[in-house]
Amino acid sequence: MRASVQSVLFLCCVPVALSAGAPGALAAQQSRAPVTVAALRAEAHAHAASALPGIAYLERELDSAEIRFLFETLRKLPRPADIADLQALTAYEPLGERRFWSARFAAGLQGFVPDSGLAGLVDAAVTLTRIRAAYRWGAPQFSGKTYRADAIPPAPAALRVRFDYSGAERLLDYLDSDSAGPAEAAAVAALPAWQAMLEHRGARAITPERLLVYLDHAHRRDPSHLLYKWVNPTGFWNLAGVSLHVPEFRRVLASLRWNEAVITARAGARVAEFVPAGASVDATVMFLFSRFADGWAAGPLLGIDLEHFGDDYAHLERVITHELAHQAQNELALPLPDLTETVEDQELLTAMRGVFREGTASYISPVRFDVRSPDALDRDFSVFTSVYHTLYGRGDLMAADTLIRVGLEGAGAFYSMGAYMAATIDSTLGRATLEETLRTGPVDFFVRYIEAYRGPPSVVPAALRFPPALEERFDALGRRYPVQVLRDVAHAVALADSGARRAALEGLATRYVNGPSGILFDILSSDFLIGFGDYRAASARLVKGLTFAPNREEIANAMAYRFMLANAPDEALAMLNLYVSYAPESAVAYANRCELYRSIGEVALAWGDCRQALRLNPDSGRARHLLDDIERRLGE
């Protein structure tokens, strides 16, 4: 990091009410004579010697606050055997986890017949601790650290970063409220941060209805729910563990507020080192709790899921910076269409995009700090090579997709592979070249890396180079995505003055007229013409570019949506007309045009398209809904 933006990060231990990992929100359950290990041991010596081994086990596995919580909560159950009812709460988890935790509870509770009195409570506490033990990593961890900086570095002009705490704060208020109910849960779910999370995750992962279920169960405080949330802190969309640590998360948010200026300046300055001159990035960092990923980028909104960090502010700052790097990619990248001709090429390009996105972001700010050994990097590159062999040697798309997920999940092989590629480009070809790839995208990124290790002198070992057959496949993709077109368009759109950008694009139009170069240029330049407000010219260039483009129906549909967002219905209709002509047997094509006709008041034409969509696909619920609405309008 540049010296001008360095400041000192102090991670200081400060006294906290509860020790690391202790469920802070449960402090309210302490009785006037709180449970202690010494008191439990004394009672066992006096009345239940059989409980002593269990107490010793609990003392080895848990801290004093957790032991106190377990016993005070278990005593609120009618009888210790009632912990068997916790298994029923797994029914509210996502399907895969429901099966996992149901089986884990079943195995852990098998043969569980507790004694009465203290021995029964100890037996229940030991049983729950053993069920939880291997998955304790899911509980938020707090060590009492705080974040302080001596001075605030100057904020970079190229990046504007704001923090939005409302998603996290409103959730904590809800979890901390005795009287919160469905209306308060719905208000939390309706916040922009949570709506962005739902959109980013998608309906396959979580729906608004499921979020409300998770919120409801995370809020409940009856003994069964409290014990279940302690055993399974990742339950209820990670909100189980959050609900037990409300005071600790409030302290984290307070520290973030106090240090917002320095964190945003430090993170922004690091990303600004890689942003091309004249470019700017605008981002809102939303703090919330939403499972699976510690951070994610969705348009100008960045989500940071605080349950993954506890009070590890160094890790938190790295991930904020990493996601800002993704936001720079989102804002700078050329809108590449799908010009692949085979599903294998499409899948390979998906893998390349993952390596490029996560690799460059990891080079700017690694989400993990371990240094990859040469052997580990060899394995990282071999995962990508396996994707190639699986696709083109075996034709197994499902296996290739699994390998891609392995490369991306949990900051996997593609993160460190791509970071090494980015570092090689930076050190060999220069920072300006690496910056340019943020605009030109994955194909040019791979081409530049190959250029870097081919040129003398090269320090890239043979194991980190691509096999000749794979290089040939990259060349084939390069013919679909000519890198010179990408670079020329990137240079044109990087010009500061809009008039200069427009003139540069018009000048390139005479250079790229026919063939694959012309197809890519026409489609790319049309998107920027939309940005200039010249919808007619954009539409004309698209009609020309799509004539010989593969996947032209999908591109026409996507550009129709782009025109609709720009409030250009005539041009959107022209694109949907192309979509219908390219895919006359597609019910989706007719349904999309029906929806546009309906929006501009052409109800009769909309009715005709909906009828055709239903003839092509009688099971289309969307077309049926549209037709019902149109027929209601026609009948008014």
Side-chain angles (χ1 to χ4, degrees), residues 80-113:
D82 288 345
I83 67 169
D85 296 338
L86 270 60
Q87 186 175 0
L89 293 176
T90 62
Y92 301 102
E93 302 291 0
L95 181 60
E97 298 199 30
R98 182 187 316 163
R99 292 170 177 165
F100 173 86
W101 279 102
S102 180
R104 184 150 185 84
F105 271 106
L109 292 166
Q110 187 174 11
F112 174 70
V113 182

PDB file of all heavy atoms in Angstrom, residues 80-113:
ATOM      1  N   PRO A  80     -34.987 -32.451  31.787  1.00  0.00           N
ATOM      2  CA  PRO A  80     -33.842 -32.503  30.873  1.00  0.00           C
ATOM      3  C   PRO A  80     -34.113 -33.294  29.590  1.00  0.00           C
ATOM      4  O   PRO A  80     -33.567 -32.968  28.534  1.00  0.00           O
ATOM      5  CB  PRO A  80     -32.748 -33.165  31.715  1.00  0.00           C
ATOM      6  CG  PRO A  80     -33.115 -32.864  33.125  1.00  0.00           C
ATOM      7  CD  PRO A  80     -34.617 -32.863  33.160  1.00  0.00           C
ATOM      8  N   ALA A  81     -34.946 -34.321  29.674  1.00  0.00           N
ATOM      9  CA  ALA A  81     -35.228 -35.144  28.488  1.00  0.00           C
ATOM     10  C   ALA A  81     -35.877 -34.340  27.372  1.00  0.00           C
ATOM     11  O   ALA A  81     -35.882 -34.773  26.210  1.00  0.00           O
ATOM     12  CB  ALA A  81     -36.122 -36.327  28.874  1.00  0.00           C
ATOM     13  N   ASP A  82     -36.391 -33.153  27.697  1.00  0.00           N
ATOM     14  CA  ASP A  82     -37.067 -32.346  26.682  1.00  0.00           C
ATOM     15  C   ASP A  82     -36.109 -31.790  25.633  1.00  0.00           C
ATOM     16  O   ASP A  82     -36.554 -31.243  24.622  1.00  0.00           O
ATOM     17  CB  ASP A  82     -37.825 -31.185  27.340  1.00  0.00           C
ATOM     18  CG  ASP A  82     -39.062 -31.668  28.094  1.00  0.00           C
ATOM     19  OD1 ASP A  82     -39.474 -32.821  27.869  1.00  0.00           O
ATOM     20  OD2 ASP A  82     -39.599 -30.892  28.905  1.00  0.00           O
ATOM     21  N   ILE A  83     -34.797 -31.937  25.844  1.00  0.00           N
ATOM     22  CA  ILE A  83     -33.881 -31.477  24.790  1.00  0.00           C
ATOM     23  C   ILE A  83     -34.075 -32.305  23.516  1.00  0.00           C
ATOM     24  O   ILE A  83     -33.636 -31.893  22.434  1.00  0.00           O
ATOM     25  CB  ILE A  83     -32.411 -31.496  25.233  1.00  0.00           C
ATOM     26  CG1 ILE A  83     -31.915 -32.929  25.458  1.00  0.00           C
ATOM     27  CG2 ILE A  83     -32.187 -30.622  26.449  1.00  0.00           C
ATOM     28  CD1 ILE A  83     -30.396 -33.023  25.640  1.00  0.00           C
ATOM     29  N   ALA A  84     -34.718 -33.460  23.626  1.00  0.00           N
ATOM     30  CA  ALA A  84     -35.015 -34.246  22.420  1.00  0.00           C
ATOM     31  C   ALA A  84     -35.919 -33.475  21.470  1.00  0.00           C
ATOM     32  O   ALA A  84     -35.930 -33.730  20.260  1.00  0.00           O
ATOM     33  CB  ALA A  84     -35.654 -35.580  22.802  1.00  0.00           C
ATOM     34  N   ASP A  85     -36.692 -32.518  22.012  1.00  0.00           N
ATOM     35  CA  ASP A  85     -37.596 -31.741  21.161  1.00  0.00           C
ATOM     36  C   ASP A  85     -36.849 -30.753  20.257  1.00  0.00           C
ATOM     37  O   ASP A  85     -37.441 -30.220  19.316  1.00  0.00           O
ATOM     38  CB  ASP A  85     -38.591 -30.967  22.038  1.00  0.00           C
ATOM     39  CG  ASP A  85     -39.502 -31.898  22.835  1.00  0.00           C
ATOM     40  OD1 ASP A  85     -39.655 -33.062  22.419  1.00  0.00           O
ATOM     41  OD2 ASP A  85     -40.056 -31.454  23.853  1.00  0.00           O
ATOM     42  N   LEU A  86     -35.578 -30.495  20.551  1.00  0.00           N
ATOM     43  CA  LEU A  86     -34.824 -29.543  19.725  1.00  0.00           C
ATOM     44  C   LEU A  86     -34.716 -30.016  18.275  1.00  0.00           C
ATOM     45  O   LEU A  86     -34.638 -29.203  17.354  1.00  0.00           O
ATOM     46  CB  LEU A  86     -33.422 -29.339  20.293  1.00  0.00           C
ATOM     47  CG  LEU A  86     -33.249 -28.206  21.323  1.00  0.00           C
ATOM     48  CD1 LEU A  86     -34.129 -28.433  22.546  1.00  0.00           C
ATOM     49  CD2 LEU A  86     -31.790 -28.097  21.755  1.00  0.00           C
ATOM     50  N   GLN A  87     -34.733 -31.324  18.080  1.00  0.00           N
ATOM     51  CA  GLN A  87     -34.612 -31.854  16.720  1.00  0.00           C
ATOM     52  C   GLN A  87     -35.731 -31.351  15.822  1.00  0.00           C
ATOM     53  O   GLN A  87     -35.543 -31.166  14.621  1.00  0.00           O
ATOM     54  CB  GLN A  87     -34.610 -33.377  16.758  1.00  0.00           C
ATOM     55  CG  GLN A  87     -34.347 -34.015  15.404  1.00  0.00           C
ATOM     56  CD  GLN A  87     -34.236 -35.524  15.503  1.00  0.00           C
ATOM     57  OE1 GLN A  87     -34.352 -36.097  16.583  1.00  0.00           O
ATOM     58  NE2 GLN A  87     -33.987 -36.180  14.384  1.00  0.00           N
ATOM     59  N   ALA A  88     -36.909 -31.074  16.384  1.00  0.00           N
ATOM     60  CA  ALA A  88     -38.039 -30.612  15.574  1.00  0.00           C
ATOM     61  C   ALA A  88     -37.769 -29.258  14.945  1.00  0.00           C
ATOM     62  O   ALA A  88     -38.332 -28.937  13.890  1.00  0.00           O
ATOM     63  CB  ALA A  88     -39.302 -30.555  16.434  1.00  0.00           C
ATOM     64  N   LEU A  89     -36.907 -28.434  15.555  1.00  0.00           N
ATOM     65  CA  LEU A  89     -36.633 -27.107  15.016  1.00  0.00           C
ATOM     66  C   LEU A  89     -35.808 -27.158  13.735  1.00  0.00           C
ATOM     67  O   LEU A  89     -35.743 -26.172  12.999  1.00  0.00           O
ATOM     68  CB  LEU A  89     -35.921 -26.254  16.063  1.00  0.00           C
ATOM     69  CG  LEU A  89     -36.769 -25.887  17.292  1.00  0.00           C
ATOM     70  CD1 LEU A  89     -35.940 -25.121  18.305  1.00  0.00           C
ATOM     71  CD2 LEU A  89     -37.985 -25.080  16.875  1.00  0.00           C
ATOM     72  N   THR A  90     -35.182 -28.292  13.442  1.00  0.00           N
ATOM     73  CA  THR A  90     -34.451 -28.407  12.187  1.00  0.00           C
ATOM     74  C   THR A  90     -35.393 -28.322  10.988  1.00  0.00           C
ATOM     75  O   THR A  90     -34.940 -28.055   9.870  1.00  0.00           O
ATOM     76  CB  THR A  90     -33.670 -29.733  12.112  1.00  0.00           C
ATOM     77  OG1 THR A  90     -34.588 -30.832  12.158  1.00  0.00           O
ATOM     78  CG2 THR A  90     -32.693 -29.835  13.279  1.00  0.00           C
ATOM     79  N   ALA A  91     -36.680 -28.514  11.186  1.00  0.00           N
ATOM     80  CA  ALA A  91     -37.647 -28.446  10.086  1.00  0.00           C
ATOM     81  C   ALA A  91     -37.705 -27.061   9.463  1.00  0.00           C
ATOM     82  O   ALA A  91     -38.183 -26.915   8.333  1.00  0.00           O
ATOM     83  CB  ALA A  91     -39.037 -28.852  10.578  1.00  0.00           C
ATOM     84  N   TYR A  92     -37.228 -26.061  10.164  1.00  0.00           N
ATOM     85  CA  TYR A  92     -37.291 -24.684   9.654  1.00  0.00           C
ATOM     86  C   TYR A  92     -36.020 -24.261   8.931  1.00  0.00           C
ATOM     87  O   TYR A  92     -35.892 -23.114   8.516  1.00  0.00           O
ATOM     88  CB  TYR A  92     -37.582 -23.728  10.806  1.00  0.00           C
ATOM     89  CG  TYR A  92     -38.891 -24.047  11.496  1.00  0.00           C
ATOM     90  CD1 TYR A  92     -38.907 -24.722  12.712  1.00  0.00           C
ATOM     91  CD2 TYR A  92     -40.104 -23.710  10.903  1.00  0.00           C
ATOM     92  CE1 TYR A  92     -40.101 -25.039  13.341  1.00  0.00           C
ATOM     93  CE2 TYR A  92     -41.300 -24.026  11.519  1.00  0.00           C
ATOM     94  CZ  TYR A  92     -41.301 -24.693  12.736  1.00  0.00           C
ATOM     95  OH  TYR A  92     -42.478 -25.012  13.342  1.00  0.00           O
ATOM     96  N   GLU A  93     -35.073 -25.192   8.764  1.00  0.00           N
ATOM     97  CA  GLU A  93     -33.825 -24.893   8.078  1.00  0.00           C
ATOM     98  C   GLU A  93     -33.951 -25.192   6.585  1.00  0.00           C
ATOM     99  O   GLU A  93     -34.864 -25.916   6.162  1.00  0.00           O
ATOM    100  CB  GLU A  93     -32.686 -25.736   8.671  1.00  0.00           C
ATOM    101  CG  GLU A  93     -32.456 -25.548  10.161  1.00  0.00           C
ATOM    102  CD  GLU A  93     -31.892 -24.175  10.519  1.00  0.00           C
ATOM    103  OE1 GLU A  93     -31.682 -23.350   9.606  1.00  0.00           O
ATOM    104  OE2 GLU A  93     -31.673 -23.933  11.717  1.00  0.00           O
ATOM    105  N   PRO A  94     -33.028 -24.650   5.754  1.00  0.00           N
ATOM    106  CA  PRO A  94     -32.996 -25.051   4.335  1.00  0.00           C
ATOM    107  C   PRO A  94     -32.847 -26.562   4.229  1.00  0.00           C
ATOM    108  O   PRO A  94     -32.290 -27.220   5.121  1.00  0.00           O
ATOM    109  CB  PRO A  94     -31.756 -24.328   3.799  1.00  0.00           C
ATOM    110  CG  PRO A  94     -31.544 -23.180   4.738  1.00  0.00           C
ATOM    111  CD  PRO A  94     -31.992 -23.661   6.081  1.00  0.00           C
ATOM    112  N   LEU A  95     -33.312 -27.125   3.131  1.00  0.00           N
ATOM    113  CA  LEU A  95     -33.450 -28.572   3.010  1.00  0.00           C
ATOM    114  C   LEU A  95     -32.167 -29.326   3.338  1.00  0.00           C
ATOM    115  O   LEU A  95     -32.180 -30.274   4.129  1.00  0.00           O
ATOM    116  CB  LEU A  95     -33.929 -28.938   1.593  1.00  0.00           C
ATOM    117  CG  LEU A  95     -34.142 -30.435   1.331  1.00  0.00           C
ATOM    118  CD1 LEU A  95     -35.184 -31.001   2.284  1.00  0.00           C
ATOM    119  CD2 LEU A  95     -34.565 -30.657  -0.118  1.00  0.00           C
ATOM    120  N   GLY A  96     -31.046 -28.939   2.732  1.00  0.00           N
ATOM    121  CA  GLY A  96     -29.804 -29.663   2.968  1.00  0.00           C
ATOM    122  C   GLY A  96     -29.393 -29.637   4.426  1.00  0.00           C
ATOM    123  O   GLY A  96     -28.987 -30.659   4.995  1.00  0.00           O
ATOM    124  N   GLU A  97     -29.515 -28.500   5.057  1.00  0.00           N
ATOM    125  CA  GLU A  97     -29.132 -28.390   6.461  1.00  0.00           C
ATOM    126  C   GLU A  97     -30.150 -29.053   7.374  1.00  0.00           C
ATOM    127  O   GLU A  97     -29.806 -29.540   8.446  1.00  0.00           O
ATOM    128  CB  GLU A  97     -28.954 -26.917   6.814  1.00  0.00           C
ATOM    129  CG  GLU A  97     -27.847 -26.285   6.000  1.00  0.00           C
ATOM    130  CD  GLU A  97     -27.361 -25.019   6.629  1.00  0.00           C
ATOM    131  OE1 GLU A  97     -27.406 -24.893   7.855  1.00  0.00           O
ATOM    132  OE2 GLU A  97     -26.957 -24.139   5.862  1.00  0.00           O
ATOM    133  N   ARG A  98     -31.391 -29.041   6.936  1.00  0.00           N
ATOM    134  CA  ARG A  98     -32.419 -29.740   7.711  1.00  0.00           C
ATOM    135  C   ARG A  98     -32.041 -31.212   7.854  1.00  0.00           C
ATOM    136  O   ARG A  98     -32.101 -31.787   8.952  1.00  0.00           O
ATOM    137  CB  ARG A  98     -33.760 -29.602   6.998  1.00  0.00           C
ATOM    138  CG  ARG A  98     -34.935 -30.224   7.711  1.00  0.00           C
ATOM    139  CD  ARG A  98     -36.163 -30.159   6.831  1.00  0.00           C
ATOM    140  NE  ARG A  98     -36.304 -28.856   6.189  1.00  0.00           N
ATOM    141  CZ  ARG A  98     -37.077 -28.627   5.144  1.00  0.00           C
ATOM    142  NH1 ARG A  98     -37.777 -29.625   4.591  1.00  0.00           N
ATOM    143  NH2 ARG A  98     -37.159 -27.420   4.635  1.00  0.00           N
ATOM    144  N   ARG A  99     -31.642 -31.828   6.750  1.00  0.00           N
ATOM    145  CA  ARG A  99     -31.266 -33.240   6.795  1.00  0.00           C
ATOM    146  C   ARG A  99     -30.024 -33.445   7.652  1.00  0.00           C
ATOM    147  O   ARG A  99     -29.955 -34.380   8.461  1.00  0.00           O
ATOM    148  CB  ARG A  99     -31.010 -33.749   5.379  1.00  0.00           C
ATOM    149  CG  ARG A  99     -32.264 -33.811   4.511  1.00  0.00           C
ATOM    150  CD  ARG A  99     -31.890 -34.094   3.065  1.00  0.00           C
ATOM    151  NE  ARG A  99     -33.075 -34.226   2.224  1.00  0.00           N
ATOM    152  CZ  ARG A  99     -33.053 -34.181   0.906  1.00  0.00           C
ATOM    153  NH1 ARG A  99     -31.901 -33.984   0.265  1.00  0.00           N
ATOM    154  NH2 ARG A  99     -34.161 -34.317   0.204  1.00  0.00           N
ATOM    155  N   PHE A 100     -29.032 -32.560   7.456  1.00  0.00           N
ATOM    156  CA  PHE A 100     -27.783 -32.704   8.200  1.00  0.00           C
ATOM    157  C   PHE A 100     -28.025 -32.597   9.701  1.00  0.00           C
ATOM    158  O   PHE A 100     -27.594 -33.470  10.476  1.00  0.00           O
ATOM    159  CB  PHE A 100     -26.785 -31.642   7.742  1.00  0.00           C
ATOM    160  CG  PHE A 100     -25.533 -31.608   8.573  1.00  0.00           C
ATOM    161  CD1 PHE A 100     -24.481 -32.452   8.276  1.00  0.00           C
ATOM    162  CD2 PHE A 100     -25.409 -30.736   9.647  1.00  0.00           C
ATOM    163  CE1 PHE A 100     -23.316 -32.440   9.034  1.00  0.00           C
ATOM    164  CE2 PHE A 100     -24.252 -30.713  10.414  1.00  0.00           C
ATOM    165  CZ  PHE A 100     -23.205 -31.572  10.107  1.00  0.00           C
ATOM    166  N   TRP A 101     -28.685 -31.526  10.128  1.00  0.00           N
ATOM    167  CA  TRP A 101     -28.852 -31.312  11.562  1.00  0.00           C
ATOM    168  C   TRP A 101     -29.848 -32.282  12.178  1.00  0.00           C
ATOM    169  O   TRP A 101     -29.692 -32.687  13.342  1.00  0.00           O
ATOM    170  CB  TRP A 101     -29.253 -29.863  11.833  1.00  0.00           C
ATOM    171  CG  TRP A 101     -28.060 -28.965  11.821  1.00  0.00           C
ATOM    172  CD1 TRP A 101     -27.656 -28.139  10.823  1.00  0.00           C
ATOM    173  CD2 TRP A 101     -27.073 -28.860  12.858  1.00  0.00           C
ATOM    174  NE1 TRP A 101     -26.483 -27.508  11.164  1.00  0.00           N
ATOM    175  CE2 TRP A 101     -26.102 -27.930  12.408  1.00  0.00           C
ATOM    176  CE3 TRP A 101     -26.915 -29.436  14.104  1.00  0.00           C
ATOM    177  CZ2 TRP A 101     -24.995 -27.585  13.184  1.00  0.00           C
ATOM    178  CZ3 TRP A 101     -25.810 -29.091  14.878  1.00  0.00           C
ATOM    179  CH2 TRP A 101     -24.871 -28.174  14.417  1.00  0.00           C
ATOM    180  N   SER A 102     -30.837 -32.701  11.432  1.00  0.00           N
ATOM    181  CA  SER A 102     -31.753 -33.708  11.955  1.00  0.00           C
ATOM    182  C   SER A 102     -31.007 -35.000  12.236  1.00  0.00           C
ATOM    183  O   SER A 102     -31.191 -35.632  13.287  1.00  0.00           O
ATOM    184  CB  SER A 102     -32.891 -33.951  10.956  1.00  0.00           C
ATOM    185  OG  SER A 102     -33.783 -34.935  11.455  1.00  0.00           O
ATOM    186  N   ALA A 103     -30.133 -35.398  11.305  1.00  0.00           N
ATOM    187  CA  ALA A 103     -29.346 -36.610  11.504  1.00  0.00           C
ATOM    188  C   ALA A 103     -28.373 -36.441  12.665  1.00  0.00           C
ATOM    189  O   ALA A 103     -28.144 -37.380  13.442  1.00  0.00           O
ATOM    190  CB  ALA A 103     -28.590 -36.948  10.221  1.00  0.00           C
ATOM    191  N   ARG A 104     -27.802 -35.234  12.798  1.00  0.00           N
ATOM    192  CA  ARG A 104     -26.838 -35.007  13.873  1.00  0.00           C
ATOM    193  C   ARG A 104     -27.527 -35.057  15.240  1.00  0.00           C
ATOM    194  O   ARG A 104     -26.998 -35.631  16.186  1.00  0.00           O
ATOM    195  CB  ARG A 104     -26.131 -33.671  13.664  1.00  0.00           C
ATOM    196  CG  ARG A 104     -25.064 -33.426  14.698  1.00  0.00           C
ATOM    197  CD  ARG A 104     -23.927 -32.584  14.171  1.00  0.00           C
ATOM    198  NE  ARG A 104     -22.884 -32.479  15.194  1.00  0.00           N
ATOM    199  CZ  ARG A 104     -21.941 -33.395  15.392  1.00  0.00           C
ATOM    200  NH1 ARG A 104     -21.900 -34.467  14.647  1.00  0.00           N
ATOM    201  NH2 ARG A 104     -21.036 -33.225  16.337  1.00  0.00           N
ATOM    202  N   PHE A 105     -28.699 -34.444  15.342  1.00  0.00           N
ATOM    203  CA  PHE A 105     -29.436 -34.529  16.599  1.00  0.00           C
ATOM    204  C   PHE A 105     -29.843 -35.972  16.887  1.00  0.00           C
ATOM    205  O   PHE A 105     -29.761 -36.438  18.037  1.00  0.00           O
ATOM    206  CB  PHE A 105     -30.676 -33.640  16.549  1.00  0.00           C
ATOM    207  CG  PHE A 105     -30.432 -32.230  16.997  1.00  0.00           C
ATOM    208  CD1 PHE A 105     -30.379 -31.193  16.088  1.00  0.00           C
ATOM    209  CD2 PHE A 105     -30.255 -31.930  18.338  1.00  0.00           C
ATOM    210  CE1 PHE A 105     -30.163 -29.885  16.491  1.00  0.00           C
ATOM    211  CE2 PHE A 105     -30.031 -30.624  18.763  1.00  0.00           C
ATOM    212  CZ  PHE A 105     -29.977 -29.603  17.837  1.00  0.00           C
ATOM    213  N   ALA A 106     -30.307 -36.685  15.850  1.00  0.00           N
ATOM    214  CA  ALA A 106     -30.736 -38.074  16.054  1.00  0.00           C
ATOM    215  C   ALA A 106     -29.584 -38.920  16.579  1.00  0.00           C
ATOM    216  O   ALA A 106     -29.756 -39.729  17.509  1.00  0.00           O
ATOM    217  CB  ALA A 106     -31.278 -38.649  14.757  1.00  0.00           C
ATOM    218  N   ALA A 107     -28.380 -38.738  15.988  1.00  0.00           N
ATOM    219  CA  ALA A 107     -27.224 -39.511  16.436  1.00  0.00           C
ATOM    220  C   ALA A 107     -26.802 -39.098  17.844  1.00  0.00           C
ATOM    221  O   ALA A 107     -26.501 -39.951  18.691  1.00  0.00           O
ATOM    222  CB  ALA A 107     -26.070 -39.324  15.454  1.00  0.00           C
ATOM    223  N   GLY A 108     -26.803 -37.796  18.118  1.00  0.00           N
ATOM    224  CA  GLY A 108     -26.360 -37.325  19.421  1.00  0.00           C
ATOM    225  C   GLY A 108     -27.311 -37.668  20.550  1.00  0.00           C
ATOM    226  O   GLY A 108     -26.887 -37.821  21.699  1.00  0.00           O
ATOM    227  N   LEU A 109     -28.588 -37.785  20.234  1.00  0.00           N
ATOM    228  CA  LEU A 109     -29.594 -38.071  21.261  1.00  0.00           C
ATOM    229  C   LEU A 109     -29.904 -39.548  21.393  1.00  0.00           C
ATOM    230  O   LEU A 109     -30.726 -39.936  22.245  1.00  0.00           O
ATOM    231  CB  LEU A 109     -30.885 -37.309  20.933  1.00  0.00           C
ATOM    232  CG  LEU A 109     -30.808 -35.783  21.049  1.00  0.00           C
ATOM    233  CD1 LEU A 109     -32.002 -35.135  20.380  1.00  0.00           C
ATOM    234  CD2 LEU A 109     -30.724 -35.366  22.521  1.00  0.00           C
ATOM    235  N   GLN A 110     -29.284 -40.368  20.538  1.00  0.00           N
ATOM    236  CA  GLN A 110     -29.576 -41.792  20.569  1.00  0.00           C
ATOM    237  C   GLN A 110     -29.239 -42.373  21.946  1.00  0.00           C
ATOM    238  O   GLN A 110     -28.144 -42.217  22.469  1.00  0.00           O
ATOM    239  CB  GLN A 110     -28.777 -42.515  19.488  1.00  0.00           C
ATOM    240  CG  GLN A 110     -29.152 -43.975  19.352  1.00  0.00           C
ATOM    241  CD  GLN A 110     -28.453 -44.623  18.171  1.00  0.00           C
ATOM    242  OE1 GLN A 110     -27.540 -44.043  17.585  1.00  0.00           O
ATOM    243  NE2 GLN A 110     -28.875 -45.813  17.803  1.00  0.00           N
ATOM    244  N   GLY A 111     -30.203 -43.031  22.540  1.00  0.00           N
ATOM    245  CA  GLY A 111     -30.015 -43.637  23.853  1.00  0.00           C
ATOM    246  C   GLY A 111     -30.000 -42.658  25.004  1.00  0.00           C
ATOM    247  O   GLY A 111     -29.659 -43.035  26.138  1.00  0.00           O
ATOM    248  N   PHE A 112     -30.391 -41.409  24.749  1.00  0.00           N
ATOM    249  CA  PHE A 112     -30.346 -40.377  25.792  1.00  0.00           C
ATOM    250  C   PHE A 112     -31.512 -40.551  26.760  1.00  0.00           C
ATOM    251  O   PHE A 112     -32.673 -40.336  26.425  1.00  0.00           O
ATOM    252  CB  PHE A 112     -30.396 -39.000  25.151  1.00  0.00           C
ATOM    253  CG  PHE A 112     -30.490 -37.863  26.147  1.00  0.00           C
ATOM    254  CD1 PHE A 112     -29.405 -37.553  26.959  1.00  0.00           C
ATOM    255  CD2 PHE A 112     -31.650 -37.116  26.271  1.00  0.00           C
ATOM    256  CE1 PHE A 112     -29.488 -36.515  27.872  1.00  0.00           C
ATOM    257  CE2 PHE A 112     -31.737 -36.082  27.185  1.00  0.00           C
ATOM    258  CZ  PHE A 112     -30.649 -35.777  27.990  1.00  0.00           C
ATOM    259  N   VAL A 113     -31.215 -41.000  27.985  1.00  0.00           N
ATOM    260  CA  VAL A 113     -32.212 -41.138  29.048  1.00  0.00           C
ATOM    261  C   VAL A 113     -31.576 -40.563  30.311  1.00  0.00           C
ATOM    262  O   VAL A 113     -30.885 -41.260  31.057  1.00  0.00           O
ATOM    263  CB  VAL A 113     -32.622 -42.611  29.280  1.00  0.00           C
ATOM    264  CG1 VAL A 113     -33.698 -42.696  30.364  1.00  0.00           C
ATOM    265  CG2 VAL A 113     -33.112 -43.256  27.993  1.00  0.00           C
TER     266      VAL A 113
END
